[in-house]
Amino acid sequence: MAKYSNPKSSNDGGLVFGFVILGIGLLLLLRKLGIFYPGWLLSWPMILIVIGTVVLIKHKFESFFGSIMLGFGLYFLLEREFGFDFGIENYIFPVALILLGLYLITQKQKEKRILDNVQEQIRNKSFKSSSGSSFSSSDVEDAQVESDKDDYGTSATGMGGVSGISYSDRVNIDAIFSGVNKRVLSKNFQGGKLTAAFGGIDLNLSQADLNGVVTMQVDVIFGGMKLIVPPHWDVRTEVTNIAAGVEDKRIYRQSEVDPDKVLVLRGTILFGGLEIKSF
């Protein structure tokens, strides 16, 4: 029987959000007590700054979305609350569109590189098979897994997420202002990281398999996420909810739950939703 040891997550933002809520509560209490503090601490630009800071911390300061939110928050805070005139207010929206376009183009190029690697692997294996070795569907799976590995040696689907089928043992999907629909067929699923910001992710794990305790990071910010899991998996949600909803729509059959197959969901749901289903 698998032992659930509750491993420490290096990317858990629950503690950060706890301090954020604590800080807001203290500021509201000080206001009720008539104790003075700068009003901009509870202004709407601070919301953008807090969201951007938390997202950057959770993604080890490598999040495009977090950087944009932090940048906009700082700009509007300095302009509206402190009277700074940058003279670029007429250019903010066009510049934002340009940055978003560059980001999407970059991710599409990365997706194209991944698909090209898959085709190259298949061509190489086809060439080898013509010299006497057999070529089967398992070779295609090996090519897919090999091409999905990033520079750090971990399997990934690309920053923008490539909709379709994946044989990788790990998933790494960022759906930002977009939607990603992915079906995972790995028989040794190892978890990964899912981020939906102003977008949505549908991850189908109904034909996947895992052994022991597997942790997956799920972060939803103004978006939605749906996970379809096998009915015999033990799925445990340990997410932080802020103005969000988590719906577990699985039909519980306690006698059919396999204690050796545990999927632990960790992360933050902020102004979004997470839905878990099984068939």
Side-chain angles (χ1 to χ4, degrees):
M1 180 181 295
K3 184 179 179 181
Y4 177 59
S5 58
N6 193 18
K8 181 179 179 181
S9 173
S10 61
N11 198 26
D12 189 6
L15 183 63
V16 178
F17 272 108
F19 278 109
V20 171
I21 298 301
L22 175 63
I24 295 175
L26 289 175
L27 291 176
L28 292 176
L29 178 61
L30 292 176
R31 172 179 290 181
K32 293 296 183 180
L33 295 175
I35 299 176
F36 173 79
Y37 63 86
W40 55 265
L41 288 176
L42 289 178
S43 63
W44 68 266
M46 282 299 299
I47 298 177
L48 300 181
I49 293 176
V50 170
I51 293 176
T53 301
V54 171
V55 172
L56 285 174
I57 291 175
K58 289 170 65 61
H59 292 84
K60 300 179 181 180
F61 297 91
E62 296 180 352
S63 171
F64 173 80
F65 174 75
S67 301
I68 292 296
M69 295 295 285
L70 179 60
F72 276 123
L74 290 174
Y75 169 78
F76 288 115
L77 180 66
L78 293 176
E79 183 187 50
R80 295 173 180 269
E81 303 295 336
F82 293 95
F84 281 79
D85 186 8
F86 297 96
I88 59 173
E89 57 185 23
N90 294 329
Y91 308 100
I92 288 294
F93 186 67
V95 170
L97 291 180
I98 291 174
L99 292 176
L100 178 60
L102 291 175
Y103 174 78
L104 295 177
I105 291 173
T106 302
Q107 302 318 310
K108 284 299 180 182
Q109 291 296 323
K110 182 173 291 187
E111 293 176 8
K112 183 177 183 299
R113 177 179 59 82
I114 291 175
L115 295 177
D116 289 343
N117 288 340
V118 173
Q119 295 175 357
E120 182 65 25
Q121 291 282 343
I122 293 176
R123 282 196 295 267
N124 291 340
K125 289 182 178 293
S126 299
F127 178 76
K128 292 179 181 179
S129 65
S130 64
S131 62
S133 60
S134 60
F135 180 67
S136 63
S137 61
S138 63
D139 295 324
V140 179
E141 297 180 12
D142 294 340
Q144 173 73 48
V145 172
E146 190 67 27
S147 66
D148 279 348
K149 291 185 177 179
D150 58 21
D151 296 336
Y152 299 94
T154 58
S155 296
T157 60
M159 289 292 293
V162 182
S163 296
I165 295 177
S166 172
Y167 298 94
S168 299
D169 294 336
R170 296 185 63 85
V171 293
N172 184 4
I173 302 175
D174 286 349
I176 301 176
F177 293 101
S178 63
V180 176
N181 192 322
K182 176 75 68 175
R183 179 187 295 270
V184 177
L185 302 181
S186 169
K187 300 306 179 183
N188 186 30
F189 186 64
Q190 299 295 319
K193 183 175 67 174
L194 307 177
T195 301
F198 296 95
I201 296 177
D202 284 0
L203 184 65
N204 191 333
L205 300 171
S206 61
Q207 294 178 281
D209 197 10
L210 58 81
N211 295 292
V213 180
V214 172
T215 301
M216 186 161 64
Q217 184 78 22
V218 292
D219 297 312
V220 181
I221 304 173
F222 294 98
M225 187 178 299
K226 181 171 71 174
L227 302 180
I228 301 178
V229 300
H232 61 284
W233 283 13
D234 182 3
V235 181
R236 308 181 184 183
T237 56
E238 300 179 1
V239 298
T240 301
N241 299 340
I242 299 179
V246 177
E247 294 185 87
D248 193 339
K249 295 185 177 180
R250 294 175 297 156
I251 300 176
Y252 286 96
R253 301 181 181 91
Q254 189 62 36
S255 60
E256 298 180 7
V257 174
D258 191 339
D260 294 325
K261 301 182 184 299
V262 181
L263 177 64
V264 182
L265 303 178
R266 286 199 175 101
T268 302
I269 314 297
L270 174 64
F271 295 103
L274 171 64
E275 179 181 338
I276 305 172
K277 298 180 66 175
S278 63
F279 300 110

